[in-house]
Short mmCIF file of all heavy atoms in Angstrom, two decimals:
data_model
loop_
_atom_site.label_atom_id
_atom_site.label_comp_id
_atom_site.label_asym_id
_atom_site.label_seq_id
_atom_site.Cartn_x
_atom_site.Cartn_y
_atom_site.Cartn_z
N MET K 107 0.83 -1.18 0.00
CA MET K 107 0.00 0.01 0.00
C MET K 107 0.88 1.24 0.00
O MET K 107 0.68 2.14 -0.74
CB MET K 107 -0.93 -0.15 1.22
CG MET K 107 -1.23 1.12 1.93
SD MET K 107 -2.52 0.70 3.12
CE MET K 107 -1.98 1.71 4.43
N SER K 108 1.87 1.21 0.81
CA SER K 108 2.76 2.36 0.79
C SER K 108 3.72 2.20 -0.39
O SER K 108 4.54 1.29 -0.42
CB SER K 108 3.48 2.51 2.06
OG SER K 108 4.79 2.17 1.96
N SER K 109 3.59 3.06 -1.37
CA SER K 109 4.37 2.95 -2.58
C SER K 109 5.62 3.83 -2.54
O SER K 109 6.16 4.18 -3.54
CB SER K 109 3.52 3.31 -3.76
OG SER K 109 3.07 4.64 -3.63
N SER K 110 6.01 4.20 -1.33
CA SER K 110 7.18 5.07 -1.28
C SER K 110 8.42 4.21 -1.30
O SER K 110 8.65 3.35 -0.45
CB SER K 110 7.12 5.88 0.02
OG SER K 110 7.16 5.02 1.13
N GLY K 111 9.24 4.45 -2.28
CA GLY K 111 10.47 3.70 -2.41
C GLY K 111 11.67 4.48 -1.92
O GLY K 111 11.56 5.62 -1.45
N LEU K 112 12.80 3.83 -2.03
CA LEU K 112 14.03 4.51 -1.57
C LEU K 112 14.68 5.11 -2.80
O LEU K 112 14.84 4.47 -3.83
CB LEU K 112 14.96 3.52 -0.94
CG LEU K 112 14.53 2.94 0.44
CD1 LEU K 112 15.48 1.92 0.93
CD2 LEU K 112 14.41 4.09 1.46
N CYS K 113 15.11 6.33 -2.64
CA CYS K 113 15.81 7.00 -3.73
C CYS K 113 17.19 6.30 -3.95
O CYS K 113 17.90 6.01 -3.01
CB CYS K 113 16.04 8.45 -3.40
SG CYS K 113 17.06 9.34 -4.57
N GLY K 114 17.45 6.01 -5.21
CA GLY K 114 18.69 5.28 -5.51
C GLY K 114 19.92 6.20 -5.38
O GLY K 114 21.03 5.74 -5.57
N ILE K 115 19.72 7.46 -5.15
CA ILE K 115 20.82 8.38 -5.09
C ILE K 115 21.09 8.83 -3.68
O ILE K 115 22.21 8.76 -3.20
CB ILE K 115 20.57 9.57 -6.01
CG1 ILE K 115 20.48 9.11 -7.48
CG2 ILE K 115 21.65 10.63 -5.86
CD1 ILE K 115 20.22 10.23 -8.46
N CYS K 116 20.03 9.28 -3.02
CA CYS K 116 20.27 9.81 -1.66
C CYS K 116 19.80 8.80 -0.63
O CYS K 116 20.13 8.94 0.55
CB CYS K 116 19.55 11.15 -1.46
SG CYS K 116 17.76 11.05 -1.60
N GLY K 117 19.03 7.78 -1.05
CA GLY K 117 18.62 6.76 -0.12
C GLY K 117 17.48 7.11 0.76
O GLY K 117 17.08 6.33 1.65
N ARG K 118 16.87 8.22 0.51
CA ARG K 118 15.74 8.63 1.31
C ARG K 118 14.46 8.00 0.83
O ARG K 118 14.37 7.59 -0.34
CB ARG K 118 15.59 10.15 1.27
CG ARG K 118 16.68 10.87 2.02
CD ARG K 118 16.53 12.41 1.81
NE ARG K 118 17.58 13.11 2.51
CZ ARG K 118 17.49 13.62 3.72
NH1 ARG K 118 16.43 13.42 4.42
NH2 ARG K 118 18.48 14.26 4.29
N THR K 119 13.49 7.92 1.71
CA THR K 119 12.21 7.39 1.30
C THR K 119 11.38 8.44 0.57
O THR K 119 11.66 9.60 0.66
CB THR K 119 11.41 6.90 2.53
OG1 THR K 119 11.31 7.95 3.46
CG2 THR K 119 12.17 5.75 3.23
N GLY K 120 10.40 8.00 -0.12
CA GLY K 120 9.51 8.94 -0.79
C GLY K 120 9.89 9.07 -2.25
O GLY K 120 9.45 10.01 -2.91
N ALA K 121 10.68 8.15 -2.78
CA ALA K 121 11.05 8.22 -4.21
C ALA K 121 9.85 7.75 -5.02
O ALA K 121 9.44 6.64 -4.94
CB ALA K 121 12.27 7.35 -4.45
N GLY K 122 9.36 8.65 -5.85
CA GLY K 122 8.18 8.31 -6.61
C GLY K 122 8.47 8.44 -8.11
O GLY K 122 7.50 8.42 -8.89
N TYR K 123 9.72 8.51 -8.50
CA TYR K 123 10.03 8.67 -9.89
C TYR K 123 10.95 7.55 -10.29
O TYR K 123 11.83 7.13 -9.55
CB TYR K 123 10.67 10.00 -10.19
CG TYR K 123 9.80 11.18 -9.82
CD1 TYR K 123 9.86 11.75 -8.51
CD2 TYR K 123 8.92 11.71 -10.74
CE1 TYR K 123 8.99 12.75 -8.18
CE2 TYR K 123 8.11 12.81 -10.39
CZ TYR K 123 8.17 13.32 -9.10
OH TYR K 123 7.36 14.37 -8.75
N THR K 124 10.76 7.09 -11.54
CA THR K 124 11.66 6.06 -12.05
C THR K 124 12.41 6.61 -13.30
O THR K 124 11.81 7.15 -14.18
CB THR K 124 10.87 4.83 -12.47
OG1 THR K 124 10.13 4.34 -11.40
CG2 THR K 124 11.78 3.74 -12.94
N CYS K 125 13.70 6.48 -13.23
CA CYS K 125 14.52 6.90 -14.37
C CYS K 125 14.18 6.14 -15.60
O CYS K 125 14.11 4.88 -15.57
CB CYS K 125 16.01 6.77 -14.01
SG CYS K 125 17.08 7.16 -15.41
N ASP K 126 13.99 6.80 -16.69
CA ASP K 126 13.59 6.17 -17.92
C ASP K 126 14.78 5.57 -18.64
O ASP K 126 14.64 4.92 -19.67
CB ASP K 126 12.88 7.17 -18.85
CG ASP K 126 12.01 6.48 -19.88
OD1 ASP K 126 11.51 5.41 -19.56
OD2 ASP K 126 11.90 7.01 -20.99
N ARG K 127 15.96 5.76 -18.10
CA ARG K 127 17.17 5.23 -18.72
C ARG K 127 17.74 4.05 -18.00
O ARG K 127 17.99 3.01 -18.54
CB ARG K 127 18.19 6.39 -18.83
CG ARG K 127 19.45 6.02 -19.58
CD ARG K 127 20.31 7.21 -19.77
NE ARG K 127 21.56 6.86 -20.50
CZ ARG K 127 22.73 6.75 -19.92
NH1 ARG K 127 22.84 6.99 -18.61
NH2 ARG K 127 23.82 6.48 -20.59
N CYS K 128 18.01 4.27 -16.68
CA CYS K 128 18.59 3.18 -15.91
C CYS K 128 17.60 2.51 -15.05
O CYS K 128 17.87 1.45 -14.49
CB CYS K 128 19.73 3.76 -15.07
SG CYS K 128 19.28 4.87 -13.76
N GLY K 129 16.40 3.08 -14.94
CA GLY K 129 15.37 2.43 -14.17
C GLY K 129 15.49 2.60 -12.65
O GLY K 129 14.79 1.94 -11.89
N THR K 130 16.34 3.47 -12.26
CA THR K 130 16.56 3.67 -10.81
C THR K 130 15.42 4.50 -10.25
O THR K 130 14.97 5.46 -10.84
CB THR K 130 17.87 4.40 -10.58
OG1 THR K 130 18.94 3.62 -11.07
CG2 THR K 130 18.09 4.66 -9.09
N LEU K 131 14.96 4.08 -9.07
CA LEU K 131 13.92 4.84 -8.43
C LEU K 131 14.56 6.01 -7.69
O LEU K 131 15.50 5.85 -6.92
CB LEU K 131 13.20 3.90 -7.43
CG LEU K 131 11.86 4.40 -6.90
CD1 LEU K 131 10.82 4.41 -8.03
CD2 LEU K 131 11.36 3.48 -5.80
N VAL K 132 14.07 7.17 -7.97
CA VAL K 132 14.66 8.37 -7.37
C VAL K 132 13.56 9.26 -6.81
O VAL K 132 12.40 9.16 -7.17
CB VAL K 132 15.50 9.15 -8.40
CG1 VAL K 132 16.74 8.39 -8.78
CG2 VAL K 132 14.68 9.49 -9.63
N CYS K 133 14.00 10.12 -5.90
CA CYS K 133 13.10 11.07 -5.31
C CYS K 133 12.92 12.31 -6.25
O CYS K 133 13.58 12.38 -7.28
CB CYS K 133 13.55 11.47 -3.94
SG CYS K 133 15.09 12.45 -3.96
N GLU K 134 12.13 13.19 -5.79
CA GLU K 134 11.82 14.36 -6.65
C GLU K 134 13.08 15.23 -6.83
O GLU K 134 13.22 15.85 -7.90
CB GLU K 134 10.71 15.18 -5.98
CG GLU K 134 10.25 16.35 -6.84
CD GLU K 134 9.18 17.17 -6.14
OE1 GLU K 134 8.94 16.91 -4.94
OE2 GLU K 134 8.57 17.99 -6.78
N ARG K 135 13.92 15.25 -5.82
CA ARG K 135 15.11 16.09 -5.92
C ARG K 135 16.13 15.55 -6.90
O ARG K 135 16.93 16.30 -7.40
CB ARG K 135 15.73 16.25 -4.55
CG ARG K 135 14.83 16.90 -3.53
CD ARG K 135 15.47 16.88 -2.15
NE ARG K 135 16.69 17.63 -2.13
CZ ARG K 135 16.75 18.92 -1.80
NH1 ARG K 135 15.67 19.55 -1.43
NH2 ARG K 135 17.89 19.58 -1.81
N HIS K 136 16.06 14.26 -7.11
CA HIS K 136 17.07 13.66 -7.99
C HIS K 136 16.46 13.16 -9.28
O HIS K 136 16.95 12.23 -9.86
CB HIS K 136 17.76 12.55 -7.22
CG HIS K 136 18.59 13.03 -6.07
ND1 HIS K 136 18.23 12.73 -4.77
CD2 HIS K 136 19.68 13.83 -6.02
CE1 HIS K 136 19.12 13.36 -3.97
NE2 HIS K 136 19.98 14.02 -4.72
N TYR K 137 15.37 13.76 -9.64
CA TYR K 137 14.72 13.39 -10.89
C TYR K 137 14.66 14.59 -11.80
O TYR K 137 14.16 15.66 -11.41
CB TYR K 137 13.31 12.83 -10.61
CG TYR K 137 12.57 12.43 -11.86
CD1 TYR K 137 12.92 11.21 -12.49
CD2 TYR K 137 11.52 13.17 -12.33
CE1 TYR K 137 12.22 10.84 -13.63
CE2 TYR K 137 10.81 12.77 -13.45
CZ TYR K 137 11.16 11.59 -14.10
OH TYR K 137 10.47 11.22 -15.20
N GLU K 138 15.14 14.45 -13.00
CA GLU K 138 15.05 15.52 -13.98
C GLU K 138 13.82 15.32 -14.82
O GLU K 138 13.79 14.48 -15.75
CB GLU K 138 16.29 15.51 -14.87
CG GLU K 138 17.50 16.09 -14.18
CD GLU K 138 17.36 17.61 -13.95
OE1 GLU K 138 16.54 18.24 -14.60
OE2 GLU K 138 18.07 18.15 -13.09
N ALA K 139 12.72 16.01 -14.47
CA ALA K 139 11.50 15.82 -15.17
C ALA K 139 11.56 16.27 -16.62
O ALA K 139 10.84 15.77 -17.46
CB ALA K 139 10.40 16.60 -14.43
N SER K 140 12.49 17.15 -16.92
CA SER K 140 12.57 17.63 -18.27
C SER K 140 13.02 16.56 -19.26
O SER K 140 12.65 16.56 -20.41
CB SER K 140 13.55 18.82 -18.34
OG SER K 140 14.81 18.46 -17.85
N VAL K 141 13.81 15.64 -18.73
CA VAL K 141 14.33 14.59 -19.61
C VAL K 141 13.77 13.22 -19.23
O VAL K 141 13.82 12.28 -20.00
CB VAL K 141 15.89 14.53 -19.60
CG1 VAL K 141 16.45 15.72 -20.26
CG2 VAL K 141 16.36 14.38 -18.14
N GLY K 142 13.22 13.14 -18.00
CA GLY K 142 12.68 11.86 -17.57
C GLY K 142 13.70 10.92 -17.02
O GLY K 142 13.42 9.73 -16.85
N PHE K 143 14.89 11.43 -16.74
CA PHE K 143 15.93 10.60 -16.21
C PHE K 143 16.26 11.07 -14.77
O PHE K 143 15.85 12.10 -14.34
CB PHE K 143 17.20 10.75 -17.05
CG PHE K 143 17.04 10.34 -18.50
CD1 PHE K 143 17.90 10.80 -19.46
CD2 PHE K 143 16.04 9.45 -18.83
CE1 PHE K 143 17.73 10.40 -20.78
CE2 PHE K 143 15.86 9.06 -20.16
CZ PHE K 143 16.73 9.56 -21.14
N CYS K 144 17.06 10.20 -14.14
CA CYS K 144 17.57 10.62 -12.86
C CYS K 144 18.69 11.64 -13.14
O CYS K 144 19.14 11.80 -14.25
CB CYS K 144 18.12 9.40 -12.09
SG CYS K 144 19.55 8.60 -12.83
N VAL K 145 19.15 12.28 -12.06
CA VAL K 145 20.13 13.32 -12.26
C VAL K 145 21.44 12.75 -12.76
O VAL K 145 22.23 13.40 -13.44
CB VAL K 145 20.39 14.07 -10.96
CG1 VAL K 145 19.14 14.94 -10.61
CG2 VAL K 145 20.76 13.15 -9.81
N GLU K 146 21.71 11.44 -12.40
CA GLU K 146 22.94 10.83 -12.87
C GLU K 146 22.93 10.64 -14.37
O GLU K 146 23.88 10.94 -15.09
CB GLU K 146 23.11 9.46 -12.21
CG GLU K 146 23.27 9.57 -10.69
CD GLU K 146 24.72 9.93 -10.28
OE1 GLU K 146 25.60 9.48 -11.00
OE2 GLU K 146 24.89 10.71 -9.35
N CYS K 147 21.81 10.12 -14.87
CA CYS K 147 21.70 9.90 -16.31
C CYS K 147 21.55 11.25 -17.03
O CYS K 147 22.07 11.42 -18.10
CB CYS K 147 20.50 9.02 -16.62
SG CYS K 147 20.74 7.34 -16.09
N ALA K 148 20.83 12.14 -16.44
CA ALA K 148 20.64 13.44 -17.05
C ALA K 148 21.96 14.15 -17.20
O ALA K 148 22.20 14.88 -18.17
CB ALA K 148 19.70 14.28 -16.18
N ARG K 149 22.86 13.91 -16.31
CA ARG K 149 24.18 14.54 -16.36
C ARG K 149 25.00 13.89 -17.48
O ARG K 149 25.85 14.53 -18.10
CB ARG K 149 24.89 14.42 -15.00
CG ARG K 149 26.20 15.16 -14.93
CD ARG K 149 26.72 15.13 -13.54
NE ARG K 149 26.79 13.80 -12.98
CZ ARG K 149 27.06 13.55 -11.71
NH1 ARG K 149 27.28 14.52 -10.90
NH2 ARG K 149 27.14 12.30 -11.30
N GLU K 150 24.74 12.58 -17.71
CA GLU K 150 25.55 11.91 -18.72
C GLU K 150 25.03 12.21 -20.10
O GLU K 150 25.83 12.51 -21.00
CB GLU K 150 25.45 10.39 -18.47
CG GLU K 150 26.27 9.97 -17.26
CD GLU K 150 26.20 8.44 -17.12
OE1 GLU K 150 26.10 7.75 -18.15
OE2 GLU K 150 26.35 7.97 -15.99
N VAL K 151 23.76 12.11 -20.27
CA VAL K 151 23.19 12.30 -21.60
C VAL K 151 22.81 13.74 -21.89
O VAL K 151 22.73 14.12 -23.04
CB VAL K 151 21.98 11.34 -21.82
CG1 VAL K 151 22.34 9.93 -21.49
CG2 VAL K 151 20.83 11.81 -20.91
N GLY K 152 22.52 14.48 -20.84
CA GLY K 152 22.12 15.84 -21.01
C GLY K 152 23.16 16.67 -21.69
O GLY K 152 22.94 17.38 -22.59
N GLY K 153 24.37 16.49 -21.15
CA GLY K 153 25.49 17.21 -21.74
C GLY K 153 25.32 18.72 -21.63
O GLY K 153 25.06 19.24 -20.57
N GLY K 154 25.38 19.35 -22.74
CA GLY K 154 25.27 20.83 -22.71
C GLY K 154 26.58 21.46 -23.16
O GLY K 154 27.15 22.33 -22.52
N GLY K 155 27.07 21.00 -24.26
CA GLY K 155 28.28 21.56 -24.79
C GLY K 155 29.52 20.83 -24.36
O GLY K 155 30.61 21.39 -24.21
N GLN K 156 29.39 19.53 -24.13
CA GLN K 156 30.57 18.74 -23.78
C GLN K 156 31.30 18.30 -25.05
O GLN K 156 30.68 17.69 -25.94
CB GLN K 156 30.17 17.51 -22.98
CG GLN K 156 30.69 17.64 -21.54
CD GLN K 156 30.72 16.27 -20.84
OE1 GLN K 156 30.11 15.31 -21.31
NE2 GLN K 156 31.38 16.24 -19.74
N PRO K 157 32.56 18.55 -25.13
CA PRO K 157 33.32 18.16 -26.32
C PRO K 157 33.48 16.68 -26.39
O PRO K 157 33.59 15.98 -25.34
CB PRO K 157 34.70 18.87 -26.13
CG PRO K 157 34.81 19.04 -24.61
CD PRO K 157 33.38 19.25 -24.13
N SER K 158 33.49 16.16 -27.55
CA SER K 158 33.65 14.69 -27.75
C SER K 158 35.12 14.31 -27.48
O SER K 158 36.03 15.01 -27.89
CB SER K 158 33.21 14.32 -29.14
OG SER K 158 34.02 14.99 -30.08
N GLY K 159 35.25 13.19 -26.85
CA GLY K 159 36.63 12.72 -26.54
C GLY K 159 37.02 13.01 -25.12
O GLY K 159 36.19 13.11 -24.23
N ASP K 160 38.29 13.11 -24.91
CA ASP K 160 38.78 13.29 -23.54
C ASP K 160 38.55 14.73 -23.08
O ASP K 160 38.33 15.62 -23.86
CB ASP K 160 40.25 12.99 -23.48
CG ASP K 160 40.53 11.49 -23.78
OD1 ASP K 160 39.66 10.68 -23.50
OD2 ASP K 160 41.63 11.23 -24.29
N ASP K 161 38.58 14.88 -21.72
CA ASP K 161 38.37 16.18 -21.23
C ASP K 161 39.68 17.00 -21.24
O ASP K 161 39.74 18.13 -20.87
CB ASP K 161 37.86 16.09 -19.80
CG ASP K 161 38.71 15.22 -18.95
OD1 ASP K 161 39.62 14.59 -19.50
OD2 ASP K 161 38.46 15.13 -17.73
N GLN K 162 40.76 16.37 -21.61
CA GLN K 162 42.05 17.05 -21.69
C GLN K 162 42.24 17.61 -23.09
O GLN K 162 42.09 16.91 -24.05
CB GLN K 162 43.17 16.11 -21.31
CG GLN K 162 43.32 15.92 -19.82
CD GLN K 162 44.62 15.26 -19.44
OE1 GLN K 162 45.27 14.72 -20.29
NE2 GLN K 162 44.97 15.31 -18.19
N PRO K 163 42.55 18.85 -23.16
CA PRO K 163 42.88 19.43 -24.47
C PRO K 163 44.16 18.89 -25.07
O PRO K 163 45.10 18.61 -24.34
CB PRO K 163 43.01 20.93 -24.17
CG PRO K 163 43.36 20.98 -22.68
CD PRO K 163 42.71 19.80 -22.05
N ASP K 164 44.09 18.69 -26.32
CA ASP K 164 45.26 18.12 -27.01
C ASP K 164 46.26 19.27 -27.27
O ASP K 164 46.18 20.02 -28.20
CB ASP K 164 44.80 17.50 -28.33
CG ASP K 164 45.92 16.72 -28.96
OD1 ASP K 164 46.75 16.14 -28.19
OD2 ASP K 164 45.94 16.62 -30.16
N THR K 165 47.21 19.36 -26.38
CA THR K 165 48.18 20.42 -26.50
C THR K 165 49.48 19.96 -27.15
O THR K 165 50.41 20.70 -27.31
CB THR K 165 48.48 21.02 -25.13
OG1 THR K 165 48.97 19.95 -24.25
CG2 THR K 165 47.24 21.65 -24.52
N GLY K 166 49.44 18.68 -27.44
CA GLY K 166 50.66 18.14 -28.08
C GLY K 166 51.56 17.43 -27.08
O GLY K 166 52.44 16.66 -27.46
N ASP K 167 51.35 17.73 -25.79
CA ASP K 167 52.12 17.08 -24.79
C ASP K 167 51.48 15.75 -24.43
O ASP K 167 50.49 15.76 -23.74
CB ASP K 167 52.25 17.97 -23.55
CG ASP K 167 53.38 17.47 -22.62
OD1 ASP K 167 54.21 16.71 -23.07
OD2 ASP K 167 53.31 17.85 -21.43
N THR K 168 51.98 14.63 -24.88
CA THR K 168 51.38 13.38 -24.66
C THR K 168 51.87 12.70 -23.42
O THR K 168 53.10 12.58 -23.21
CB THR K 168 51.62 12.45 -25.87
OG1 THR K 168 51.24 13.09 -27.04
CG2 THR K 168 50.85 11.16 -25.71
N TYR K 169 50.96 12.31 -22.56
CA TYR K 169 51.33 11.61 -21.35
C TYR K 169 51.21 10.11 -21.62
O TYR K 169 50.32 9.62 -22.27
CB TYR K 169 50.40 11.98 -20.23
CG TYR K 169 50.62 13.39 -19.75
CD1 TYR K 169 49.64 14.32 -20.03
CD2 TYR K 169 51.71 13.74 -19.04
CE1 TYR K 169 49.79 15.63 -19.63
CE2 TYR K 169 51.87 15.07 -18.61
CZ TYR K 169 50.90 15.97 -18.92
OH TYR K 169 51.08 17.27 -18.50
N GLN K 170 52.13 9.39 -21.05
CA GLN K 170 52.09 7.93 -21.16
C GLN K 170 52.02 7.30 -19.78
O GLN K 170 52.89 7.58 -18.92
CB GLN K 170 53.32 7.42 -21.88
CG GLN K 170 53.18 7.63 -23.39
CD GLN K 170 54.11 6.70 -24.17
OE1 GLN K 170 54.95 6.08 -23.57
NE2 GLN K 170 53.85 6.55 -25.45
N PHE K 171 50.96 6.58 -19.54
CA PHE K 171 50.83 5.91 -18.25
C PHE K 171 51.45 4.53 -18.27
O PHE K 171 51.20 3.78 -19.12
CB PHE K 171 49.36 5.82 -17.86
CG PHE K 171 48.77 7.15 -17.56
CD1 PHE K 171 48.03 7.79 -18.56
CD2 PHE K 171 48.96 7.78 -16.37
CE1 PHE K 171 47.48 9.05 -18.32
CE2 PHE K 171 48.41 8.98 -16.10
CZ PHE K 171 47.69 9.63 -17.08
ZN1 ZN G 246 17.11 11.49 -3.81
ZN1 ZN G 247 19.17 7.03 -14.41
#
């Protein structure tokens, strides 16, 4: 009867949203209603001007691990 789940991000009860990407149950604070994803997925797929490839600029100085 009580349909309150645990948020997969903060672990609090009252999670009433399900991420449409990873299926994680999240609370209202960790649900991006604009995309229908949790904030984790929204951060990954949402982007917003993220350059493709590594986050390090190619300055010519190549590091070798
Ligand atoms: Zn949460
Ligand atoms: Zn997700």
Side-chain angles (χ1 to χ4, degrees):
M107 142 171 143
S108 109
S109 60
S110 63
L112 291 176
C113 173
I115 296 180
C116 66
R118 290 174 181 268
T119 57
Y123 300 89
T124 304
C125 174
D126 201 32
R127 184 172 179 256
C128 66
T130 300
L131 197 65
V132 291
C133 67
E134 184 182 11
R135 298 175 63 94
H136 295 113
Y137 181 74
E138 284 290 341
S140 56
V141 290
F143 299 157
C144 66
V145 292
E146 295 281 323
C147 291
R149 186 172 53 189
E150 287 184 29
V151 305
Q156 246 198 349
S158 59
D160 295 332
D161 52 354
Q162 280 193 345
D164 190 30
T165 57
D167 195 19
T168 306
Y169 292 107
Q170 283 202 345
F171 291 98

